[in-house]
Amino acid sequence: MTMPNGDTVKPFKLEFSNRVIEHLGIKLYQNKPTNVVAEFLSNCWDADANAVHIELTAHGVDGRPTIVITDDGRGMTRDELTDEFLVIGRNRRTSPTELTPGGRLPMGRKGIGKLAGFGIAGTVDVVSTPNNALRNEEPKPEQRFYWLRFSLTDLIAKSGSALAGSYEPEVIADGVDEAALKALVTQSGHESAYKHFIDNVEAGKGGVCVFLRNTTLKKAMNVETLLQSMGRRFTVSMLRPDFVVNINGKRITPDQALPPLHDFGFGDWNNPIEEILTINGVARQIRYWIKFVSLQGSDWSIENAGIGVYAHGKIAQDRPFFFDVKGKEILSRYLYGVIEADWLDELPNDVVSTDRRSIDWDTDDTIAFQQWGNSKISHWLEEFRKWRGQQPKKEIITRIRAVSPKSTLTGAEEEALAELLSEVLPNLANDEEAKDRATKSFTEAWTHAPTRLLTKSLWEKVFSSLDSDSAVFATLVENLRKSMVPEAMGLAVTMAQRIAAITVMRRMIEQDKTETHLQRLIETFPWLLGPRWERLTANESIKTLVTQKHKPDEGLGEWSIVGEKAKLKPDFVFLSDPGGQEELIVFELKGPEAGKTLQPVEYEQLGEYLKIIRAAYTSPKITVRGLLVGHDKGGFEEHNTRITVTTWSDVLAEARNLHVEYLRALLLASDPTATDARLRQIADFGGKETMELLARLAPVGDFPNVITDMLGLLDEAAPTAATAPALTSTLGETSAS
């Protein structure tokens, strides 16, 4: 390209490999305007800008929403535009800890953020001028302006070729003076878009203005939402007085960016806690503050909960994120925290995803960090639980007793119910009548064990989202309570059938039946080994995996089940989730014969089964556990945390007591009459022993009169559990033996 004075200068040319625009621009940021703005905001930080203005409009000249990002940073010269900005994938750092000329830790690294605009815009205008106020050149050069226009349509046409391509944007201004620039702005018809840029120029500054138009957005971005999002993606946007970010004239501040928080926590946003971790042999500094959201009166969403991990002031691991802590969702949804780990952006291997939404936690440089976070979150949640438990619950407990004066809840049950209601009732505002109805429904459901478990499960799994309507949940519980009564007697019959199976197991144990007899019974009813294994299903393929393993991997410490050990086979391998295989449980049963004590070799043998299965099923989502059952526990050391050792008497007591308690609650909820035919079924299946157990586990006065009458009738002659027709057809030869 030849200038009027005869000098040859480089043309403005964007060079790229085929389809790079599509994969790194369009697809990566498609329909993600917040991510697009975040990329340009990080560029403003790297340019040492002191002030950034983001302007959102609902209708541009073309009738579509537009976005303009203007900063007063260093700006770009012509050579910086051609040699740096227009080179895709240029490594922006010569060393991991390199600082910007203004002394900042840079956020950019991959050199592809400039493509972000094409994820939502058909036309991207970039106007730039060097900011002499931030540059140290002497004498100060004459201020010149550059204006490039990029068309997505033309870029796609170029990137469709098989070979590496180049694209020359439309040059609107190439080194023009201030007067010429202002004339071009007027001619463009977009004066308002360039207002802040012109203001910077007239104030003796420079910088860059990026104008995104011809967008695919259906409506303009919400200002308040973007304020919160940018505040939560960039710690610097709300903490640094030398980096002021305004969106449609509103400045990002902690009050706007952060949710309503309790005073309880660890550290604070303006006074974080510092720790040094040794990771992969290197001392690494982290800073963090952890708080908990105050839900009442807030529009907090579960999607914003958890930990944000930041590097160089920019998000590296986005929320919701909990360092893989599971099973504490009812508490973790309150958690909001920030962890700063600048070294993540300084590692030789890039561990942060291109869109800066996640970190690769399976590397030598991050796994110890992940383990630290997992342990910390468990600690923080437990401390929050204790703190919240200290908050007054007297008012809720008083309400429980007032609406249900005949409630048989124990003190511990009242406390547990009050804790759940403390989350539900505040969301019913000042409607005292609704609060009373909800409290009564919950209390009556709570007295029925199966419904109590279902209520807790619904709240934790279905309604754990903070966007859920507590009034809807209260109505659901009320309907659940109403439907409980007619269904309770049917469930009671089922419980009686189960108690009959437990009775059969008791007799087999007392008669010193062999392992084989018990195996047949348990294979049909795995819940006999513990109600928590209600949904276990046998998996023969995994059992075969264990029994046919014959080529051990010495590196894993495996052993071969051949020769003398060929008879060593696990009794059962069960899945708790047949579809997802999330939990594998290996059962090793030893005969209930009196005097037969469990031996160390049996304990170690089960440990070997678990080791073999873990070697074959390596996914961290899969839990492998074992249960060893025998007549009596031996004196060996129980060192394997994955193995539970128990006795047949303990198994029997747990299964019997829980199912009898279920039956008691079901009968109390149903209040059956003496003419209820199902009561006769309960007696038939459960037998006299069932009724006597009910009487022993609770005062007889707690039962309907018909129950005490039935106890008298059963003294005469009642069918035994072993002769119950529905059960014997299922047990077959097991019960007969």
Side-chain angles (χ1 to χ4, degrees):
M1 178 178 177
T2 303
M3 298 295 287
N5 62 4
D7 292 341
T8 300
V9 296
K10 298 176 183 177
F12 292 107
K13 182 187 297 184
L14 182 69
E15 296 187 349
F16 53 89
S17 299
N18 59 313
R19 304 193 70 186
V20 70
I21 303 297
E22 180 181 358
H23 290 290
L24 297 183
I26 302 174
K27 290 187 176 179
L28 190 61
Y29 297 95
Q30 195 168 34
N31 300 321
K32 297 177 181 177
T34 301
N35 294 9
V36 172
V37 174
E39 285 298 332
F40 286 111
L41 187 57
S42 66
N43 289 343
C44 299
W45 167 265
D46 290 352
D48 291 327
N50 290 300
V52 181
H53 291 275
I54 301 171
E55 297 294 327
L56 312 174
T57 63
H59 303 287
V61 173
D62 56 5
R64 300 178 186 176
T66 64
I67 302 174
V68 182
I69 303 101
T70 307
D71 69 60
D72 63 353
R74 292 176 56 82
M76 290 178 282
T77 65
R78 193 180 197 285
D79 285 345
E80 288 168 343
L81 280 166
T82 58
D83 298 346
E84 298 175 12
F85 179 74
L86 292 178
V87 178
I88 296 175
R90 178 184 67 88
N91 192 336
R92 302 183 62 175
R93 310 178 202 171
T94 57
S95 69
T97 56
E98 177 185 358
L99 302 178
T100 68
R104 295 176 176 175
L105 287 168
M107 296 180 183
R109 178 169 181 170
K110 299 179 176 69
I112 62 172
K114 59 180 70 72
L115 302 176
F118 298 119
I120 61 171
T123 304
V124 178
D125 282 31
V126 178
V127 184
S128 176
T129 187
N131 187 349
N132 289 330
L134 296 180
R135 292 171 178 259
N136 298 321
E137 294 107 341
E138 292 293 344
K140 300 294 184 184
E142 182 181 3
Q143 194 164 38
R144 293 292 174 180
F145 298 87
Y146 306 91
W147 185 339
L148 306 180
R149 177 169 296 157
F150 299 84
S151 166
L152 179 59
T153 301
D154 294 342
L155 270 170
I156 294 297
K158 288 286 187 180
S159 66
S161 61
L163 302 176
S166 64
Y167 165 75
E168 295 186 14
E170 180 182 354
V171 180
I172 309 299
D174 188 0
V176 302
D177 59 18
E178 181 178 336
L181 174 73
K182 290 181 177 179
L184 289 170
V185 168
T186 302
Q187 294 171 14
S188 72
H190 299 290
E191 291 94 335
S192 61
Y194 300 105
K195 178 184 181 303
H196 292 295
F197 185 79
I198 297 299
D199 289 346
N200 287 342
V201 172
E202 292 179 345
K205 302 177 183 178
V208 173
C209 177
V210 177
F211 182 20
L212 307 177
R213 54 194 177 93
N214 297 328
T215 64
T216 57
L217 304 179
K218 302 300 182 184
K219 59 182 180 179
M221 300 177 69
N222 181 276
V223 174
E224 298 301 327
T225 300
L226 191 61
L227 278 167
Q228 293 179 358
S229 179
M230 292 303 103
R232 294 169 186 173
R233 281 174 177 263
F234 299 91
T235 56
V236 295
S237 66
M238 66 177 185
L239 300 180
R240 292 280 294 254
D242 61 344
F243 190 63
V244 177
V245 181
N246 298 278
I247 302 177
N248 282 20
K250 292 186 177 182
R251 179 176 176 176
I252 297 177
T253 64
D255 288 341
Q256 291 172 317
L258 299 178
L261 301 171
H262 289 296
D263 291 335
F264 175 80
F266 305 86
D268 205 341
W269 62 267
N270 57 1
N271 187 27
I273 298 171
E274 295 187 2
E275 283 193 33
I276 301 295
L277 307 180
T278 300
I279 299 177
N280 201 18
V282 180
R284 302 292 191 185
Q285 183 188 58
I286 62 169
R287 300 178 299 276
Y288 65 87
W289 60 268
I290 306 298
K291 293 288 186 180
F292 294 86
V293 179
S294 176
L295 303 184
Q296 192 165 358
S298 75
D299 57 353
W300 180 242
S301 169
I302 185 66
E303 292 303 312
N304 294 321
I307 299 295
V309 182
Y310 296 78
H312 291 190
K314 185 178 182 181
I315 196 76
Q317 173 68 62
D318 207 356
R319 303 176 184 88
F321 177 66
F322 303 96
F323 283 102
D324 204 30
V325 170
K326 306 292 185 184
K328 299 184 179 181
E329 290 78 6
I330 203 70
L331 289 175
S332 60
R333 72 180 193 274
Y334 293 90
L335 179 67
Y336 185 89
V338 167
I339 298 179
E340 296 182 89
D342 290 337
W343 50 271
L344 287 170
D345 249 351
E346 299 164 7
L347 296 170
N349 297 318
D350 198 351
V351 298
V352 181
S353 66
T354 301
D355 61 356
R356 298 191 71 90
R357 301 299 301 274
S358 62
I359 292 170
D360 183 355
W361 294 105
D362 293 324
T363 72
D364 291 339
D365 290 313
T366 56
I367 193 166
F369 186 18
Q370 195 275 341
Q371 292 168 348
W372 172 89
N374 182 280
S375 174
K376 280 288 189 179
I377 283 191
S378 296
H379 168 70
W380 294 329
L381 293 179
E382 178 60 19
E383 291 302 308
F384 174 62
R385 185 192 64 77
K386 292 178 182 177
W387 174 83
R388 193 175 66 166
Q390 296 169 357
Q391 307 311 301
K393 293 180 183 174
K394 288 185 178 180
E395 181 181 343
I396 295 178
I397 292 177
T398 300
R399 187 187 294 270
I400 291 172
R401 295 172 179 175
V403 300
S404 299
K406 296 183 179 180
S407 169
T408 59
L409 292 178
T410 65
E413 288 174 328
E414 277 187 338
E415 288 285 331
L417 178 57
E419 183 173 348
L420 176 58
L421 286 170
S422 69
E423 300 178 20
V424 177
L425 297 186
N427 295 317
L428 298 178
N430 298 319
D431 190 339
E432 296 301 317
E433 185 179 349
K435 289 182 179 180
D436 283 346
R437 287 197 305 270
T439 302
K440 184 176 178 63
S441 297
F442 275 59
T443 303
E444 293 185 4
W446 212 255
T447 61
H448 173 216
T451 311
R452 176 169 70 244
L453 295 175
L454 180 57
T455 302
K456 292 175 66 177
S457 177
L458 283 172
W459 180 252
E460 292 175 2
K461 296 179 180 178
V462 181
F463 289 86
S464 60
S465 169
L466 302 187
D467 296 327
S468 297
D469 189 337
S470 292
V472 173
F473 181 62
T475 301
L476 176 65
V477 172
E478 169 63 10
N479 293 335
L480 183 64
R481 183 193 66 79
K482 290 178 179 178
S483 65
M484 176 186 71
V485 174
E487 291 181 359
M489 282 301 290
L491 288 171
V493 172
T494 300
M495 287 298 107
Q497 290 176 320
R498 288 190 166 205
I499 292 170
I502 295 170
T503 301
V504 171
M505 182 172 72
R506 178 185 62 78
R507 290 173 179 168
M508 293 175 69
I509 292 173
E510 289 175 349
Q511 296 169 16
D512 289 344
K513 291 294 184 180
T514 64
E515 291 179 27
T516 303
H517 289 94
L518 280 166
Q519 286 174 6
R520 291 173 183 169
L521 181 67
I522 292 169
E523 193 164 11
T524 304
F525 304 111
W527 48 264
L528 286 168
L529 288 175
R532 59 187 176 278
W533 291 309
E534 170 78 24
R535 298 176 62 188
L536 289 181
T537 56
N539 187 296
E540 287 300 321
S541 64
I542 299 178
K543 181 175 179 180
T544 301
L545 164 73
V546 178
T547 57
Q548 294 186 354
K549 184 86 172 180
H550 61 87
K551 293 181 180 179
D553 184 339
E554 295 180 359
L556 295 174
E558 297 178 12
W559 53 285
S560 176
I561 308 178
V562 295
E564 295 181 357
K565 296 181 178 180
K567 63 181 180 179
L568 301 180
K569 301 178 181 179
D571 294 316
F572 298 103
V573 182
F574 283 107
L575 297 177
S576 62
D577 181 3
Q581 293 188 355
E582 292 184 356
E583 187 174 34
L584 306 181
I585 305 172
V586 182
F587 289 114
E588 188 64 20
L589 313 179
K590 298 304 172 185
E593 297 94 325
K596 189 171 183 179
T597 302
L598 290 172
Q599 300 299 314
V601 65
E602 296 164 341
Y603 183 81
E604 298 300 331
Q605 170 187 325
L606 180 54
E608 293 294 342
Y609 293 151
L610 301 184
K611 186 184 296 184
I612 293 171
I613 290 180
R614 172 50 73 192
Y617 292 84
T618 58
S619 171
K621 295 181 179 180
I622 296 177
T623 300
V624 180
R625 295 194 292 134
L627 179 70
L628 178 61
V629 187
H631 171 75
D632 189 22
K633 290 186 180 181
F636 53 84
E637 179 186 358
E638 297 180 31
H639 58 83
N640 193 329
T641 58
R642 295 185 299 179
I643 296 178
T644 300
V645 182
T646 189
T647 66
W648 287 110
S649 59
D650 289 340
V651 167
L652 181 64
E654 181 183 9
R656 183 179 60 189
N657 292 348
L658 183 60
H659 283 85
V660 169
E661 175 63 21
Y662 273 17
L663 178 57
R664 183 184 78 86
L666 289 164
L667 291 173
L668 286 172
S670 304
D671 194 14
T673 65
T675 57
D676 194 319
R678 288 168 297 189
L679 196 62
R680 182 73 253 176
Q681 289 180 288
I682 292 172
D684 289 343
F685 285 121
K688 180 179 179 180
E689 183 182 63
T690 298
M691 294 305 164
E692 290 175 342
L693 281 170
L694 286 172
R696 288 203 302 270
L697 290 176
V700 175
D702 285 354
F703 296 102
N705 290 337
V706 68
I707 298 297
T708 56
D709 294 342
M710 183 60 65
L711 284 170
L713 292 174
L714 289 171
D715 282 335
E716 303 170 6
T720 65
T723 61
L727 187 65
T728 52
S729 63
T730 304
L731 292 178
E733 61 176 312
T734 303
S735 58
S737 61

